[in-house]
Amino acid sequence: MSSELLAPLDLAFWHLETTDHPMHLGALAHFGPADGDRVPGDEALLQLLTRRAAAIPRLRMRVRDVLLPVGGAAWRADPGFDVRRHVHRIALPGTDFCAETARLAGELMERPLERGRPPWEMYLLTGGPDGAFAVLVKLHHALADGMRAVAIGAGIFDEIAAARTMRTAAGRRPRAVPPRSWMPGPAQLAGAALSRIEELGRAVGVGASVVRASRLDPRGTPALAAASSGTRAVATAVLDLERVHSVRRVSGGTANDVLLATVAGALRRWLTDRGEPLPAADPRALVPVSRRRPGAPPDSGNRLSAYLLPLPVTEPDARARLTAVRTAMDRNKAAGPLRGAGAVAVLADQLPPLAHRFGAPLASGAARMLFDLLVTNVPLPRSALSLAGAPLRALFPMAPLARGQALAVAMSPYAGQVHIGLVADGKAVPDLDALAAGLAAELDALAGG
């Protein structure tokens, strides 16, 4: 049976998970009928979703331990794979479909994925007005980073499924990878030794950067730090993408700078409305950066680093907050992704499998010494997408929570809007909807409206 070793960072995510601290990411996709079109019935939708999920090869793989390397694990095809164990339907009342799907998404995101099976689930949520429905996808972080998750999950859409069917009908299949010898030749050994020396040198530099960026006081921002309760809350927000770009054109920088400043301002509003004092120091956001080459295929394995960004919540002026974000991000980009606390993901690539297996509990507890929350931007295809002829109206990405932290924010631009998914510890942040509402108010302030 063919197998593929988990990449070091994937192995780290696999071992970071506990029952009270799941390490899956997700997406909540909303679909609505086009004008004059009818959406298939619930059972037909479920069967279609089941067939398409079963046709995605990566979703048939599960994690199994291996003898070598010691402490390692590999992806192997599940011989007893049954897609019906992974795809489920839940009917909702439909009184407020968007609110109900977010509430249910929080409950479903609390539940760890079963580790003995391929680590993913899909839920078809029905009961929306005029046949509208939603799909919640959960993928273990070991299976995919944000870009890889998009590539895997896109297989359920009509456009991607049709292209895959055409390739299969034309007889185009992936070329077989020739088996590798367990006995490398002298040239391979020399090359591997030189590569390892270079990797060790890089690891020393990255490790020094991480240590320099760590805080001796791990308390961070109190409202964003919490013992993991195992509960999850989900809230969503939608921003106008053209308005984001209009702010960018006036202020300079990037659209992502504007979105990060919007998150900073929303946090300030949220803390103020709670009656809490602003923190003595600005909270740190970990901003993931893909290390995949532009145009390269989204191959398996996480390929991540990150930037460390102080979110200027102590700054009262919205435009000044944007300037501070833009300046800090420019400085991060100039330094590159191998500096700062975000480089801990790169450092994970240099550690042996046994270190991940036994060091994961220590690493998970150190997260709050490095950053206070995660803020990530997940790109989506620019073309229009649909499922069973129903157009995709919105897709809200959801990121996992680091241990000891209470909030993760994920954003995806699509069809002229920015869809934002907020995931929080349900006990630490019972008012997550208030934070979500602050995002639109803050963009208004940046736009001068």
Side-chain angles (χ1 to χ4, degrees):
M1 181 182 296
S2 62
S3 63
E4 171 193 340
L5 288 176
L6 268 72
L9 188 53
D10 301 344
L11 193 63
F13 286 134
W14 187 250
H15 289 308
L16 279 170
E17 182 171 68
T18 66
T19 303
D20 293 332
H21 186 68
M23 284 300 297
H24 50 255
L25 43 81
L28 179 62
H30 282 263
F31 299 87
D35 293 340
D37 291 343
R38 291 180 58 84
V39 172
D42 294 352
E43 187 58 34
L45 275 173
L46 181 63
Q47 291 179 6
L48 177 64
L49 189 61
T50 299
R51 287 197 307 272
R52 290 185 178 171
I56 301 172
R58 197 70 186 170
L59 297 185
R60 294 174 170 267
M61 308 294 282
R62 63 177 179 174
V63 176
R64 283 290 179 263
D65 291 340
V66 295
L67 293 176
L68 293 174
V70 177
W75 292 107
R76 291 179 178 169
D78 182 1
F81 176 73
D82 184 351
V83 70
R84 294 171 297 180
R85 294 179 176 179
H86 300 264
V87 182
H88 314 279
R89 183 177 77 88
I90 300 176
L92 295 174
T95 51
D96 187 345
F97 189 66
C98 290
E100 283 295 313
T101 55
R103 179 195 60 77
L104 182 59
E107 294 179 6
L108 295 174
M109 290 295 285
E110 288 180 10
R111 306 176 187 175
L113 296 163
E114 187 170 333
R115 292 170 73 89
R117 298 176 182 170
W120 65 275
E121 291 175 346
M122 290 186 189
Y123 291 87
L124 173 64
L125 310 179
T126 60
D130 300 321
F133 63 94
V135 175
L136 174 67
V137 180
K138 292 169 55 178
L139 297 172
H140 199 285
H141 210 340
L143 182 65
D145 56 21
M147 290 183 66
R148 179 62 177 165
V150 170
I152 292 173
I156 69 171
F157 294 118
D158 296 338
E159 296 75 12
I160 309 301
R164 184 175 59 229
T165 301
M166 291 176 63
R167 286 195 301 269
T168 302
R172 297 178 184 175
R173 292 181 173 82
R175 291 178 297 174
V177 178
R180 296 180 179 179
S181 169
W182 284 91
M183 297 296 292
Q188 291 174 300
L189 287 173
L194 180 60
S195 176
R196 188 58 182 160
I197 291 172
E198 293 174 346
E199 289 174 354
L200 289 173
R202 188 183 308 118
V204 170
V206 171
S209 296
V210 172
V211 170
R212 286 194 299 269
S214 300
R215 299 175 297 198
L216 295 178
D217 181 358
R219 289 175 296 176
T221 303
L224 300 177
S228 298
S229 70
T231 62
R232 292 292 181 268
V234 169
T236 61
V238 179
L239 303 180
D240 182 81
L241 183 57
E242 176 54 34
R243 201 160 202 203
V244 172
H245 283 299
S246 69
V247 174
R248 173 191 59 79
R249 286 191 289 267
V250 171
S251 63
T254 67
N256 198 46
D257 293 341
V258 177
L259 291 172
L260 289 167
T262 301
V263 172
L267 284 170
R268 179 185 172 89
R269 292 170 182 269
W270 176 65
L271 291 170
T272 302
D273 291 345
R274 273 183 155 200
E276 295 192 15
L278 294 175
D282 288 327
R284 288 175 163 186
L286 195 70
V287 183
V289 178
S290 175
R291 292 191 289 131
R292 300 183 190 278
R293 295 178 180 176
D299 53 354
S300 61
N302 281 273
R303 297 285 297 166
L304 291 174
S305 183
Y307 293 137
L308 187 67
L309 174 69
L311 291 175
V313 301
T314 56
E315 168 57 56
D317 181 74
R319 293 298 180 92
R321 285 195 291 271
L322 176 54
T323 299
V325 166
R326 187 177 69 245
T327 301
M329 287 299 288
D330 286 346
R331 187 165 54 246
N332 277 329
K333 292 170 187 175
L338 300 184
R339 295 291 182 268
V344 70
V346 181
L347 183 61
D349 280 341
Q350 315 302 324
L351 299 177
L354 201 59
H356 290 300
R357 184 176 292 269
F358 292 106
L362 295 175
S364 64
R368 70 172 64 184
M369 296 180 64
L370 300 175
F371 60 96
D372 298 288
L373 73 159
L374 177 77
V375 184
T376 183
N377 195 321
V378 182
L380 294 178
R382 294 185 179 181
S383 57
L385 299 170
S386 61
L387 177 59
L392 175 66
R393 301 297 189 190
L395 191 148
F396 301 100
M398 292 176 285
L401 291 181
R403 182 175 297 280
Q405 295 169 342
L407 178 66
V409 181
M411 305 174 284
S412 283
Y414 176 76
Q417 296 178 318
V418 182
H419 303 112
I420 303 177
L422 300 94
V423 177
D425 185 285
K427 291 186 177 179
V429 189
D431 55 345
L432 188 61
D433 286 337
L435 176 57
L439 291 163
E442 181 61 18
L443 183 58
D444 287 344
L446 285 170

